Amino acid sequence: MSLSVRQILAHQGFAFPKLLAFRILMVLSYQMMMVAIGWHIYELTHDPWSLGLIGLAEVIPYMGSALFAGHAVDHYFSRRGFAAVSALFLALNAALLVVVTQHQSAHTVWWIYGIVALTGFARALISPSYNTLFALIIPRASIAKASGIGSSMFQIGLIVGPAIGGLLIGFADKSITYGLAALLALSAALAAMMLRVKEHRSHEPMKVFASIGEGLRFVQRTQVVLGAQLLDMFAVLFGGTVAMLPAFVHDVYQMGPEGLGVLRASPAIGAIVSGLWLAKHPIHEHSGRWLLLAVAGFGLSMIAFGLCDTYWLAIVILAISGMMDAVSVVLRQTILQLATPDNMRGRVSAINGIFIGSSNELGAFESGLTARLMGLVPSVVFGGCMTIAVVAVTAIKAPKLRDLHLSQLH
């Protein structure tokens, strides 16, 4: 029986709010750090290509370590311990950025890229630890509702983080932004350690590569999981514009970092609306079709944003893109939780992170590359068109996902 929203929040001694506190603090820290890094690097280089390199610097270490992180979460130590370690590592990276900002040199950009690479290692632990803790806390019948709540809290972080980051850069200093990001990450570590959940391991530890192979085989043979991951990966890869927002703000809208913070927060405003709606009204029927339609709507929004030269209209368009993206995220996360066995959640979450999380960074690199080759606006329009093409291919090649009803997975 599905719990009400109030019951979900109070379940197991308010464990879910504590987990949400960990998540939102991590999002705030990461988003503040990354909005400052984007502005910092563009301020130094004035080159969209340099913004794309931020994503590349993070994705290489992330992809190299994610599968090992998923194996470790499934087999060793404490999930909440891994969550705390990821937060402490993120705090260290933010503190290092404070030092770099205070000691500017000809090599500052490369120091920043190096710290971004370290952030990739920290991120590799976040998704496996969060998703395994989520499954330990939330009853199976309530996963769809809880995913909507979690998505809304995540999007609040996406609003507040960039907005605070942009305001602090504009009215204070980049080092203040990095310092606050470090404090927030430390608070996230504390929230993780406050969790009290029973962590049962019903299987013996496997050798690393055998364990990773088991996770990969599961994803490969489960069409609804693989199809959802590939759909979102390519949609974000081609349709993401976040990395190019400093260039739009600086060159198209002729505004400062305050404008960047608001623009980066705009998709999350729409996403919160969708997330709260889905928490009350989860999509159990025709879920696959709604997923495909949401991603197609996201692609159309990116085309509209690329063609828009008015700042306030761009905010509205990005908010609509956030609404579409939230539907996709909640449905994909619910599919992942319901279709994955308990003893494989860390590995499958890590694989999902490679498909989805790394696509943000690869998308940033792709956006920087196409912006250099095509120009800023044509690159965004091209990405939106490619996103719609990906939806069409997925609908044809993954019929089990297209025809999926979440009620089939309960």
Side-chain angles (χ1 to χ4, degrees):
M1 179 179 175
S2 178
L3 302 177
S4 68
V5 171
R6 181 176 297 179
Q7 289 171 325
I8 290 172
L9 293 174
H11 189 61
Q12 290 192 24
F14 297 93
F16 191 41
K18 294 174 186 176
L19 182 62
L20 291 178
F22 162 77
R23 189 180 198 191
I24 195 170
L25 288 167
M26 289 291 279
V27 173
L28 286 171
S29 175
Y30 177 80
Q31 291 296 322
M32 287 177 60
M33 190 190 315
M34 296 311 293
V35 76
I37 286 172
W39 188 263
H40 196 171
I41 285 183
Y42 197 73
E43 191 177 54
L44 293 170
T45 66
H46 297 284
D47 185 359
W49 170 252
S50 66
L51 297 175
L53 290 178
I54 297 173
L56 187 64
E58 185 174 0
V59 76
I60 292 174
Y62 177 88
M63 293 184 70
S65 58
L67 293 177
F68 298 97
H71 164 78
V73 169
D74 273 344
H75 292 284
Y76 305 107
F77 198 38
S78 159
R79 274 87 169 201
R80 66 190 183 96
F82 276 119
V85 167
S86 67
L88 292 172
F89 201 0
L90 191 64
L92 174 62
N93 293 339
L96 289 173
L97 285 165
V98 174
V99 176
V100 169
T101 305
Q102 297 297 320
H103 299 83
Q104 298 268 27
S105 71
H107 304 293
T108 295
V109 170
W110 296 107
W111 279 109
I112 296 173
Y113 285 139
I115 295 169
V116 169
L118 293 176
T119 302
F121 290 113
R123 281 191 57 229
L125 284 170
I126 297 172
S127 179
S129 57
Y130 173 81
N131 284 322
T132 52
L133 288 167
F134 182 95
L136 288 171
I137 292 168
I138 303 299
R140 189 174 180 84
S142 302
I143 283 177
K145 285 184 180 179
S147 294
I149 299 170
S151 175
S152 296
M153 295 302 102
F154 178 80
Q155 298 299 335
I156 287 174
L158 293 184
I159 290 177
V160 178
I164 293 176
L167 290 171
L168 284 176
I169 295 167
F171 295 107
D173 185 73
K174 291 183 288 292
S175 62
I176 300 296
T177 307
Y178 294 136
L180 182 55
L183 290 175
L184 290 170
L186 288 173
S187 300
L190 180 61
M193 295 310 297
M194 289 174 63
L195 278 169
R196 294 292 179 264
V197 292
K198 295 180 179 179
E199 302 188 49
H200 299 292
R201 300 189 197 280
S202 58
H203 58 286
E204 293 295 323
M206 298 175 64
K207 291 184 178 180
V208 175
F209 290 104
S211 171
I212 291 172
E214 184 181 48
L216 290 169
R217 286 190 296 273
F218 169 79
V219 172
Q220 183 181 25
R221 68 173 181 262
T222 310
Q223 189 182 104
V224 294
V225 174
L226 180 62
Q229 291 178 347
L230 287 172
L231 172 66
D232 204 72
M233 182 185 78
F234 285 109
V236 174
L237 177 65
F238 291 115
T241 61
V242 171
M244 295 298 105
L245 290 184
F248 271 92
V249 171
H250 191 279
D251 299 339
V252 177
Y253 307 126
Q254 304 293 316
M255 298 183 72
E258 304 86 354
L260 173 62
V262 174
L263 209 60
R264 278 201 62 160
S266 298
I269 296 172
I272 288 175
V273 174
S274 292
L276 292 175
W277 172 264
L278 292 172
K280 284 283 190 180
H281 308 280
I283 301 173
H284 291 295
E285 304 300 324
H286 304 294
S287 314
R289 294 181 185 180
W290 280 110
L291 175 62
L292 292 169
L293 287 171
V295 177
F298 177 79
L300 287 171
S301 299
M302 291 302 97
I303 294 172
F305 172 75
L307 297 174
C308 175
D309 59 3
T310 304
Y311 177 74
W312 295 108
L313 181 57
I315 291 174
V316 174
I317 293 171
L318 288 178
I320 294 171
S321 78
M323 295 177 69
M324 299 295 103
D325 188 48
V327 174
S328 169
V329 168
V330 170
L331 287 173
R332 178 172 47 79
Q333 287 297 326
T334 305
I335 291 169
L336 184 70
Q337 290 286 356
L338 291 175
T340 304
D342 288 339
N343 65 341
M344 298 179 66
R345 292 190 185 279
R347 284 163 288 172
V348 174
S349 293
I351 296 166
N352 179 68
I354 290 176
F355 275 100
I356 311 306
S358 62
S359 63
N360 289 298
E361 286 69 44
L362 287 175
F365 177 72
E366 181 271 341
S367 296
L369 179 62
T370 55
R372 168 167 281 194
L373 296 175
M374 301 179 179
L376 187 60
V377 170
S379 71
V380 174
V381 174
F382 168 78
C385 292
M386 290 299 296
T387 299
I388 296 172
V390 166
V391 172
V393 171
T394 303
I396 295 170
K397 295 294 185 180
K400 290 183 180 179
L401 177 64
R402 182 192 65 216
D403 299 328
L404 176 69
H405 303 272
L406 283 180
S407 54
Q408 297 170 345
L409 299 177
H410 285 300

